[in-house]
Amino acid sequence: MKSYTLKELASILGAEIRGDEALEVSSVATLDNATQGQLSFLANAKYRAQLENTKASAVLISAQEVEGFTGNALVLNDPYVGFARVSQLMDTTPKAAIGIHDSAVIHPSAKLAEGVAIGANAVIGENVILSENVQVGPGCVVGQDCILGSGTRLWANVTLYHDVHLGQDCIIHSAAVIGSDGFGYANERGLWIKIPQTGGVRIGNRVEIGASTTVDRGAIEHTQIHDGVILDNQVQIAHNDIIGENTAIAGNSTIAGSTQIGKYCIIGGNSAVAGHLSIADGTHISGGTNVTSIIRKPGVYTSTTVAMENKLWRRNTVRFKQLDELFQRVKKLEKSNQTEN
């Protein structure tokens, strides 16, 4: 396990050193559980009490919190970001695959670049391109005409249907399915007629997709997930959706088809966004919210009303928007009555 001196970490993080710059640390831990040789962090003031008794060799801390602390410290603007960067340096996560396993099934037309690793029982389809240092875990299926950018990792049992393109340094967690058919049907006198989903999926660089998450292929055009997006576990991205750069979507959320989510959005867990909508850049949707109309102005949006008949729900929604106006009218009326009395 590689160790780093505080001087080395300060240079990497752009931090100020308080204490012994030659001190070495080799792993990270919480303030409460850290021991000698470990680096901890204070990112939330409510854990300040733990700072006095921590056994950590050094602490990542802000300038506002460092006053009065006598231990070794790296002082920086955002200790939590610092913790994330140091965690990457000290990451002990094993590789998804090492070498090419004898049981892997690889189509003769597939192109494998230098450093590609493929786990046991994985299947690599026709005309697949795996770029440098791609890791394909055990049991994965990479379908026809897929392209994986350099440094991308698929954990065990990921399924990529045909015509799925992943950028560089993506992480796809176990049981994720990318490129399955979107929910496209026409109804003829009660009979469902399937619409072939002939688009693909295009995913940018540094995208992370959680376990058991599904991303449907496009009906005609491609479903698109842009650079830096993070999707939690069990998220549903429907056909022809476009997810903007660096947007984060938490677990159990569902984005219906042909919806465009802007850049730098945050969508809380168990949220649902209806189809054929657009959401402005920088929008924050609280967990459990149902979004049923276009959001043109960034801000924080919340709605957790109970289920009811649609006709009643529509009336109540209109009335809910009128509550403040009604309150002001009642307040004014009460004031008028008090004056008269």
Side-chain angles (χ1 to χ4, degrees), residues 29-320:
T30 62
L31 287 169
D32 199 33
N33 295 318
T35 60
Q36 287 296 309
Q38 292 187 306
L39 178 70
S40 191
F41 64 99
L42 178 63
N44 189 321
K46 72 179 183 180
Y47 296 110
R48 172 80 197 195
Q50 296 180 5
L51 184 64
E52 305 306 321
N53 299 317
T54 186
K55 294 181 173 60
S57 292
V59 175
L60 296 163
I61 194 168
S62 68
Q64 292 78 17
E65 296 289 349
V66 74
E67 298 303 323
F69 178 60
T70 58
N72 296 299
L74 292 174
V75 183
L76 66 171
N77 291 332
D78 192 331
Y80 196 63
V81 170
F83 161 70
R85 294 193 181 281
V86 172
S87 295
Q88 290 181 353
L89 292 175
M90 301 177 178
D91 188 10
T92 58
T93 303
K95 293 184 177 181
I98 299 175
I100 298 178
H101 199 275
D102 291 342
S103 63
V105 178
I106 304 172
H107 195 277
S109 64
K111 296 180 180 179
L112 279 56
E114 183 177 355
V116 166
I118 302 174
N121 300 311
V123 177
I124 308 299
E126 185 177 358
N127 298 322
V128 166
I129 299 175
L130 303 181
S131 302
E132 295 82 2
N133 302 315
V134 163
Q135 299 172 28
V136 178
C140 290
V141 176
V142 181
Q144 179 178 327
D145 297 320
C146 287
I147 299 175
L148 278 63
S150 61
T152 284
R153 286 178 283 166
L154 309 184
W155 287 98
N157 300 314
V158 168
T159 298
L160 305 184
Y161 280 56
H162 55 286
D163 195 22
V164 172
H165 293 187
L166 301 178
Q168 300 177 9
D169 299 316
C170 294
I171 302 173
I172 314 299
H173 290 280
S174 291
V177 177
I178 302 176
S180 51
D181 279 1
F183 198 58
Y185 298 86
N187 190 287
E188 184 180 33
R189 297 187 297 275
L191 176 66
W192 292 109
I193 302 173
K194 183 176 178 62
I195 300 171
Q197 305 291 284
T198 58
V201 178
R202 299 294 182 263
I203 294 175
N205 302 320
R206 305 179 310 283
V207 171
E208 184 160 358
I209 295 178
S212 298
T213 283
T214 53
V215 180
D216 292 343
R217 67 191 314 102
I220 300 174
E221 306 295 335
H222 303 311
T223 299
Q224 301 175 43
I225 298 177
H226 289 191
D227 293 352
V229 168
I230 51 176
L231 304 180
D232 197 2
N233 301 334
Q234 298 178 334
V235 171
Q236 160 69 10
I237 304 297
H239 59 179
N240 298 107
D241 284 342
I242 299 175
I243 312 298
E245 294 175 17
N246 297 301
T247 281
I249 303 179
N252 293 310
S253 293
T254 300
I255 313 299
S258 299
T259 284
Q260 184 165 347
I261 309 294
K263 304 175 183 178
Y264 306 103
C265 294
I266 298 175
I267 298 179
N270 203 33
S271 295
V273 181
H276 302 275
L277 302 181
S278 61
I279 293 178
D281 295 349
T283 296
H284 187 163
I285 296 172
S286 302
T289 295
N290 294 323
V291 179
T292 58
S293 58
I294 292 172
I295 296 177
R296 295 184 172 88
K297 180 181 178 181
V300 179
Y301 293 81
T302 306
S303 175
T304 55
T305 57
V306 298
M308 62 190 75
E309 290 186 1
N310 183 263
K311 188 176 181 180
L312 177 61
W313 173 79
R314 288 178 179 276
R315 289 204 305 267
N316 286 343
T317 298
V318 172
R319 290 166 181 164
F320 182 78

Side-chain angles (χ1 to χ4, degrees), residues 2 13 74 120:
K2 181 175 173 56
L13 300 175
L74 292 174

